[in-house]
Amino acid sequence: MSVAVVGAGVIGMTTSVALKTAFPELKVHVFAEDFSPNTTGDGSAGLWGPYLLGDTPREKVLKWAGTTHRWLEEFWRTGRASEIGISLLPIYRVTSDPHGFPDSSWTKLVYGAHRLTSKDLTRLNEEYGTNYKDGWMFVTYTSEPARLLPWLEETFVASGGELRRRKIETLHELIDDGYDSIINCSGLGARRLAGDITVTPVRGQVARVRNPGEQSVVFPANCVHVSFRSSYETTVLGGTHQMNDYDCSPRKEDSKFIYDGCCRILPALKGVTSIKEWVGLRPGRPTVRLESEVLESSQGKKFTVIHNYGHGGSGVTLSWGCALDVVAIFRDTWRLKSNL
């Protein structure tokens, strides 16, 4: 039995590794126009934390995010963190919304989560000239995709999987090529491949600079954050979340917004050496789509597609949890046909 996975981002590659782990004899081929280091995910900080997920049901977010957090924890606990670029970092997550955070259920998944007191918020507002109304402090993981993605690719190939560089025009063409099933992890590409117009780009611009010191702090604030890499060599400054914006070129006004905002958070960044600016398009959607669908090929053959896309800004956060759900759906779909 052969399976085609479309998409080589963190969602596509975790799904492919999970499939080969569960079914070693399964032939799995990953199709993509680009692989690491040229995917959307390669430039992101890889911070664990639910973000830009629209109306995705809370119970699903908790399930997928919790599974991924425990997966990252296992690497950390067994001394393998460096394999996939994991750091364990203290986080401040704050908001200027007078209603505070609409949902903080995810905080039970992280370490030492506690709500900031009014005194804490006053101190932060005085120090940074902000107007935060609510906030949490906790400790969690970041797994930089620039290390995670190569590790996933190497693990997948070592297990017998194949990476195939090819632009897929339609999902039907893969069935005509002889594949028994398709896993659609095409992210923003699902707008075309699945005809899903609810998938829209969420533009994110960040900058990578030389690390000014060995602090380990991430401070999301009105979409401005500082994220220190596990190697302590570089720091990611971000970022933006511009809806329905396809521009993949860095903009001077966004660069200034990011730099000024991050320097306000961490004055040690002033005058820091810039290495690279980067823009990626997150796959926004009202809800994550993870489900199977039966389609019919041009030759009248019915086939199953498992969709796994629309993860917004939470690709790393949900990746392994969603991958295991794909495995479960695949097993249920093909159990009678192949005794998997």
Side-chain angles (χ1 to χ4, degrees):
M1 181 178 294
S2 59
V3 176
V5 177
V6 182
V10 68
I11 296 299
M13 289 313 307
T14 49
T15 297
S16 301
V17 169
L19 279 170
K20 284 297 293 180
T21 300
F23 312 117
E25 300 306 315
L26 191 66
K27 292 181 180 179
V28 182
H29 301 159
V30 176
F31 290 89
E33 289 184 76
D34 291 302
F35 293 91
S36 183
N38 299 312
T39 73
T40 296
D42 279 285
S44 67
L47 172 67
W48 185 100
Y51 179 58
L52 295 176
L53 286 171
D55 297 321
T56 303
R58 181 176 64 179
E59 62 273 14
K60 289 187 176 181
V61 173
L62 290 176
K63 175 186 176 184
W64 296 329
T67 298
T68 305
H69 197 274
R70 290 187 291 274
W71 181 62
L72 297 174
E73 181 181 61
E74 182 65 13
F75 280 91
W76 182 268
R77 188 183 63 80
T78 56
R80 300 163 58 206
S82 62
E83 290 184 31
I84 59 175
I86 292 179
S87 293
L88 189 59
L89 301 176
I91 313 293
Y92 282 95
R93 188 164 183 174
V94 292
T95 180
S96 299
D97 188 331
H99 301 292
F101 289 100
D103 177 27
S104 57
S105 57
W106 54 268
T107 58
K108 67 183 182 182
L109 301 174
V110 296
Y111 308 127
H114 62 275
R115 206 165 208 140
L116 299 181
T117 65
S118 58
K119 184 177 180 180
D120 293 330
L121 291 169
T122 297
R123 176 180 60 81
L124 291 175
N125 289 332
E126 289 176 351
E127 186 172 355
Y128 300 120
T130 50
N131 189 32
Y132 301 136
K133 302 297 185 182
D134 193 11
W136 285 83
M137 193 278 176
F138 55 95
V139 177
T140 192
Y141 298 102
T142 180
S143 180
E144 48 187 295
R147 291 192 184 185
L148 174 59
L149 282 167
W151 181 86
L152 288 168
E153 289 180 3
E154 291 168 8
T155 300
F156 174 68
V157 171
S159 69
E162 294 183 23
L163 304 176
R164 299 190 172 184
R165 192 179 302 275
R166 170 179 158 188
K167 182 177 181 179
I168 302 302
E169 299 293 346
T170 68
L171 297 178
H172 294 73
E173 72 187 68
L174 292 169
I175 294 301
D176 292 339
D177 285 350
Y179 288 94
D180 299 293
S181 186
I182 299 170
I183 316 295
N184 176 24
C185 302
S186 57
L188 188 58
R191 186 177 175 89
R192 172 175 55 86
L193 288 177
D196 188 346
I197 62 173
T198 69
V199 183
T200 56
V202 183
R203 181 180 181 273
Q205 179 171 325
V206 299
R208 186 179 296 188
V209 301
R210 296 206 178 279
N211 193 334
E214 293 192 1
Q215 297 128 310
S216 296
V217 60
V218 180
F219 199 133
N222 298 328
C223 213
V224 171
H225 67 266
V226 183
S227 177
F228 289 88
R229 293 289 188 174
S230 61
S231 63
Y232 296 120
E233 295 174 357
T234 61
T235 296
V236 175
L237 309 183
T240 65
H241 63 271
Q242 295 146 327
M243 307 298 293
N244 205 27
D245 189 333
Y246 284 90
D247 185 6
C248 290
S249 300
R251 299 172 183 161
K252 290 183 178 180
E253 61 269 27
D254 289 332
S255 299
K256 185 177 187 305
F257 165 75
I258 292 167
Y259 179 75
D260 290 348
C262 290
C263 286
R264 186 175 67 248
I265 293 171
L266 190 65
L269 290 168
K270 291 181 179 179
V272 74
T273 302
S274 177
I275 299 174
K276 182 180 181 181
E277 290 188 306
W278 175 88
V279 176
L281 304 180
R282 308 178 186 96
R285 194 175 186 272
T287 62
V288 173
R289 188 182 187 190
L290 207 171
E291 63 184 1
S292 63
E293 179 182 21
V294 177
L295 299 177
E296 188 172 303
S297 73
S298 58
Q299 300 173 349
K301 177 184 176 182
K302 291 186 177 180
F303 63 96
T304 299
V305 176
I306 302 176
H307 299 288
N308 184 17
Y309 65 83
H311 298 78
S314 299
V316 169
T317 302
L318 305 183
S319 60
W320 193 248
C322 288
L324 294 188
D325 267 18
V326 169
V327 169
I329 294 172
F330 183 85
R331 178 181 286 112
D332 290 342
T333 301
W334 291 97
R335 177 178 289 142
L336 296 178
K337 293 185 178 182
S338 57
N339 295 318
L340 288 174

